[in-house]
Amino acid sequence: MPAPSLYPTSEAPDSITLQLFQRQVQEGRAHWGCGWSQPVHVGRIVPIRDLTAGTYKLLSTELLDTDPVLSDPHVDPFAADARGPLFGYPPVYYPNAPDFASATAIFAGRGETETADLSLVKQPYTA
């Protein structure tokens, strides 16, 4: 099954959530359902075990950079203020595709191993 690794291209968060969606067919219609979701440490290989054979898509979830030096719990993090621009990590779709539809499907059989690397890129967010 997939063993993703996250590699930052700039400052990296300590962890981010990865999701693995599995292609499912119900009543003759195909859809993608979340089969696995877990926070993982950046820069480490993450083995995903005990998944059924099938077709999967891997992605990271969005993460707003909440640097405690710049964060004020009394200020709306999405409001424009004197702290300057907000930054975050938008979702990354394997293999660094722009969106879910463009993500490459991972075909995995029982007991198979697949390596999937994702690159996190910190970007400015606008309010």
Side-chain angles (χ1 to χ4, degrees), residues 3-5 11 14-15 17 26 38 43 49 51 56 58 64 89 94 108 112 115 117 121-122 124:
S5 300
E11 297 174 46
D14 290 333
S15 67
T17 300
Q26 291 179 324
Q38 183 174 334
R49 295 181 171 85
L51 295 174
Y56 294 88
L58 177 69
L64 184 63
Y89 300 88
Y94 176 77
E112 290 182 357
T115 301
D117 295 333
V121 179
K122 189 174 184 177

Side-chain angles (χ1 to χ4, degrees), residues 69-90:
V69 173
L70 301 175
S71 296
D72 179 348
H74 304 291
V75 176
D76 178 357
F78 295 101
D81 59 50
R83 294 180 297 165
L86 295 173
F87 290 88
Y89 300 88

Side-chain angles (χ1 to χ4, degrees), residues 11-52:
E11 297 174 46
D14 290 333
S15 67
I16 196 161
T17 300
L18 289 183
Q19 294 182 324
L20 192 64
F21 283 77
Q22 183 178 22
R23 186 175 183 272
Q24 302 168 345
V25 178
Q26 291 179 324
E27 297 179 8
R29 297 184 65 129
H31 72 279
W32 293 94
C34 187
W36 180 88
S37 180
Q38 183 174 334
V40 298
H41 291 284
V42 174
R44 295 185 184 166
I45 294 175
V46 182
I48 302 172
R49 295 181 171 85
D50 301 326
L51 295 174
T52 60

